[in-house]
Amino acid sequence: MTMTTYSISDLARELDVTPRAIRFYEEQGMLAPERRGQERIYSAKDKVTLKLILRGKRIGFSLAECKELIGLYDPSSGNRKQLETFMDKIAARRAQLEQQLLDIEQMQLELDTAEERCLAALAETTA
């Protein structure tokens, strides 16, 4: 039985990231490819890890949060701790986004008020 492996260019092309980004995640200790001389050989596990990193980044998690979640991977426990931590982080991110939405709405109201005052002042200067 042969194990599927990937070169850095294969992985980059398949997941639509740059080889530089993959090397960065490796430098951060999040990926650990085998080495054959200068060549990096990535496993299926590395591919899954990279997918998790990219998904985490898309939903606004920091690299530290992604690394924490990946570190909690434990199939012997059904990944319960990982899933619970993930749910906590999702709830925190959702709350943060809701607060940002409120902040944006407040800022829009303030811009509307400033615009109305400017228009009124302009109308007075031309009258």
Side-chain angles (χ1 to χ4, degrees):
M1 183 167 119
T2 60
M3 202 169 87
T4 304
T5 59
Y6 306 88
S7 69
I8 194 168
S9 57
D10 292 339
L11 210 51
R13 187 173 36 259
E14 193 168 328
L15 298 179
D16 197 26
V17 295
T18 63
R20 183 177 180 187
I22 294 171
R23 286 190 296 273
F24 173 77
Y25 296 131
E26 183 182 342
E27 289 167 8
Q28 298 302 307
M30 301 175 83
L31 296 171
E34 286 182 43
R35 296 284 189 144
R36 280 193 206 129
Q38 294 290 344
E39 186 181 12
R40 292 170 169 88
I41 308 296
Y42 294 89
S43 66
K45 181 181 180 220
D46 290 320
K47 181 180 173 183
V48 169
T49 299
L50 185 54
K51 281 181 173 181
L52 291 172
I53 293 166
L54 297 173
R55 182 177 301 136
K57 294 301 292 172
R58 271 195 313 274
I59 60 177
F61 290 169
S62 69
L63 278 183
E65 289 173 313
C66 292
K67 192 172 188 175
E68 176 188 359
L69 287 168
I70 291 164
L72 291 172
Y73 178 74
D74 180 14
S76 67
S77 70
N79 292 312
R80 185 170 186 82
K81 180 69 175 160
Q82 183 188 44
L83 293 169
E84 289 171 345
T85 302
F86 190 35
M87 289 297 293
D88 290 344
K89 290 189 181 304
I90 288 170
R93 181 68 178 134
R94 188 180 307 277
Q96 181 185 27
L97 288 172
E98 288 169 0
Q99 183 58 54
Q100 287 176 329
L101 277 172
L102 291 173
D103 293 345
I104 289 169
E105 289 170 358
Q106 183 61 43
M107 210 179 299
Q108 287 177 323
L109 289 173
E110 290 176 22
L111 287 170
D112 290 345
T113 301
E115 184 180 42
E116 288 171 12
R117 287 182 180 162
C118 285
L119 288 172
L122 281 171
E124 286 178 18
T125 61
T126 58

